[in-house]
Amino acid sequence: MARELRVVHQDQYEVRRTRPAAQMVGIPLAGRGEVWKPSRHPSQRSIVTWWWAATSRRHVGCRSLERLSTAMLLDFHPGVVDFSAWSAQLIWREKGRQRQLVPDFFVRTASGQTLVVACPPRKGPSERFERQLAVLREACHHTGWQLAAPRLPGAMALANLRWVSRRRHPRYGDAAVEAALARSFARPRPLMEGVEACGVPRLLALPRIYHMLWHRRLGVDWSVPLGPAAAVGPLNVDEPDAVRSPFTTEQS
């Protein structure tokens, strides 16, 4: 058990606060500012980057490319209302020393739950990671959060999602063009065939169809290459599990 388990976070006025974990019940973290940012030494091979989330229209920090993929999947998931990175830090006493842990993501779901997403090391779970999970489980017990683990789909689905995610920004939306595309793809048909038949110039239609795929206004088989012959149509419920639900949760 972690002694004196506390949570560092920002309140609604962006003031840094430290509270016992038991006092964090009901405090939203998914939309709060960062209390920590990673520092990178030249000898380290890790990469720190940022994901612009269409869900919240804010940048979300990612400590690795795997976490960048997780952020993309969280952003794509319709049950995710908001999510952020590094918006809380856990601190506790262990063996006479103060320890600290920054979870990768805090997620608020459409059902009002708070998920804390812990991404395992690239080489797989380690003894250190298992100790961190034990502290996160204890924090979840006190706060009502749910511990979640990411799961990534296959390489092809990830590549397709990355491609359409380039058109996730609202500036790629166009109601008139999207209405024409929706009519053209009222039944499944090859992507380029439907684009050519929609009555809109290709250079206008292609970015909008990717925008519609990202926002789930149309569906596609994510596990096959998203080329001219890919079948596009009404939203398909037969998505890969990791696309439909990019994380698994534990009960606190």
Side-chain angles (χ1 to χ4, degrees), residues 177-196:
V177 176
E178 290 184 30
L181 287 167
R183 290 191 296 270
S184 187
F185 289 100
R187 58 173 179 81
R189 65 194 305 183
L191 185 150
M192 196 53 66
E193 176 185 304
V195 166
E196 297 290 354

Side-chain angles (χ1 to χ4, degrees), residues 39-61:
S39 58
R40 183 176 181 275
H41 190 273
S43 64
Q44 293 177 324
R45 299 182 62 184
S46 61
I47 182 172
V48 177
T49 188
W50 300 85
W51 175 265
W52 185 85
T55 301
S56 62
R57 303 193 181 187
R58 295 192 308 270
H59 284 91
V60 177

